[in-house]
Amino acid sequence: MTTSQKNQGHELNELNQNLAKIEELSARLTNIVAGKKTVRQSLQGPGQEFYAKAVAACWNDMLANPAKIIEQQVAFWGKSLQHAMEAQQALSGGELVAPEDHTPKDRRFSNPLWETHPYYNYLKQQYLITSEAMEKTLSDVDGLDERDKQKLGFFTRQMIDMMSPTNYLATNPDAMERAIETEGQSLVDGLENLVRDLESNDGELVVKLVDESAFEVGGNIATTEGSVIYRNRMLELIQYKPTTEKVHARPLIIFPPWINKFYILDLKEQNSLIKWIVDQGYTLFVVSWVNPDASYAEVGLGEYIEEGYLAAINEVKAITGQKKVNVVGYCIAGTTLSLALSLMKKRGDTSVNSATFFTTLTDFSDQGEVGVFLDDDFVSGIEEEVNETGYLSSFFMSRTFSYMRSNDLVYGPAINSYMLGKTPPAFDLLYWNGDGTNLPAKMTVEYLRGLCQGDQFARGDFELLNEHLSIADVEVPICAIACETDHIAAWKSSYNGMRKMGSKDRTFILSESGHIAGIVNPPSKKKYGHYTNENWPEASADWLQGADFHQGSWWGRWDKWLSGKSGKKVEAREVGDSTHMPLAPAPGTYVLAKKS
């Protein structure tokens, strides 16, 4: 047998194996899709009332302003016709070339073929022309208020992003090139990845973003040394081992959000805020929240405050012998910290000396980008879901936030995994992002209805634990860190809330970057800078205009502020005491509970 015949035999054998694998994967795909769990329609998109309102506004606008509609259509068809003629002229010379391309740069179209190949270039240019026309037409519709316009714009962008030619095999040059290079193996691998993701999520398509086998919580992430020294049904309280001979007398407690797990602050030593705080000479305690199931259905914000915040504060005071503590709240934990501080004011509890807020909303009058999911159509759907199940599954929160950055967190990863057949990367931040937590039913509704929709706390009348809580009751010294491009907690809304607090000692710092990168921004990286302004003008835009910009991380500036609230230096404390013996090494046991 000749070498050529052997190669042909080998290729035929590979082809048969791949065909058999495709048949097996197709059968699995059929089974999982057939058994897909039903997700209520109200959680899948805007309600019918919104669609009807949007359609009516477009129709009325067309009747009232026919000239505007004609002008928009003429502009769109004119650009499309000119584009088609330029493409035809480019090919008329007999060469396979693309016409001149003046479209803006877009990293989705980074393959050179989008610029040089007439087929792919035509698709790209026409897609961008159509996208621009859709956005302009719908943004110019009269008869909708600003909130509805924002919502219409968001979901229009979702449709536009979904229809990108990069998202389809036949119109993605990267996928076609790889399929040819691998003799089709990439498509088999992609189908296998698709089936795996569907099977892992009961038929829901949740793209796997990371190689989970590369990480172990407590193994190669969340490794700062410490111990769980207190546990109740709501939390594990971790005390970290000191790394300095002397520490500030007043301890610090961090309350991370329970929407995610705390170890975003301790991914690895190089960017661990927890490790850095310990190294600055603070006795640090961090709360690790329980991952609730249906048995926590009746747990509300009151339980988080009394069995979470107040319990942790009391235990830390007992361990350290201090009458006052400093506290940090991150995101929703910062929102709830402000509620706790208002309650403590009502009760005459002076245990908190100062409070720091990371990316925290307390004034929801302007909900920012996330506001498109806070109208009744979505919130009522969530309420129905949690009343039935007892909790809000981490799946819904993860999907919501993913589609707020769909090209980065949905379509891009899907292309890599399903079309290119690649293994997801080993990226610790994405591992944490996928390690979600559930939310108790009662707490979810209280937060969405009372705080987000009703804005009752900022208005001075949020009823909880037999008290009427008000943002003006927060009178302790505060330092707030917001992030410039935060799409979850818009910095301007954060600023507005901090202005309404009753504290006379207030500091506001605006970090560059977003909700995570702006906070997890170690000085050693010298990456993102920050803004400061000692004045508090009414308008956030005026605050920024008068602010000073500083290169590098805000961590050092916060340390100077915090050290002034932390008392003299004392001998470093051992972890726990005779009544708080270590229950488990950090990061504890609650953090290991997997999402459901």
Side-chain angles (χ1 to χ4, degrees), residues 510-541:
L510 179 62
S511 174
E512 290 186 308
S513 196
H515 194 71
I516 299 301
I519 297 299
V520 184
N521 180 27
S524 60
K525 296 290 185 181
K526 298 179 180 178
K527 196 168 186 181
Y528 301 117
H530 61 281
Y531 300 86
T532 60
N533 185 347
E534 294 183 2
N535 298 316
W536 285 80
E538 182 175 355
S540 55

Side-chain angles (χ1 to χ4, degrees), residues 109-117 173-174 177:
F109 305 107
S110 58
N111 189 309
L113 288 176
W114 290 113
E115 304 292 332
T116 61
H117 194 286
D174 293 300
E177 285 179 332

Side-chain angles (χ1 to χ4, degrees), residues 216-226 240 266-269 586-587:
E216 179 188 0
V217 177
N220 57 356
I221 52 177
T223 59
T224 301
E225 190 173 358
Y240 286 91
D266 191 32
L267 285 177
K268 53 191 174 187
E269 186 173 343

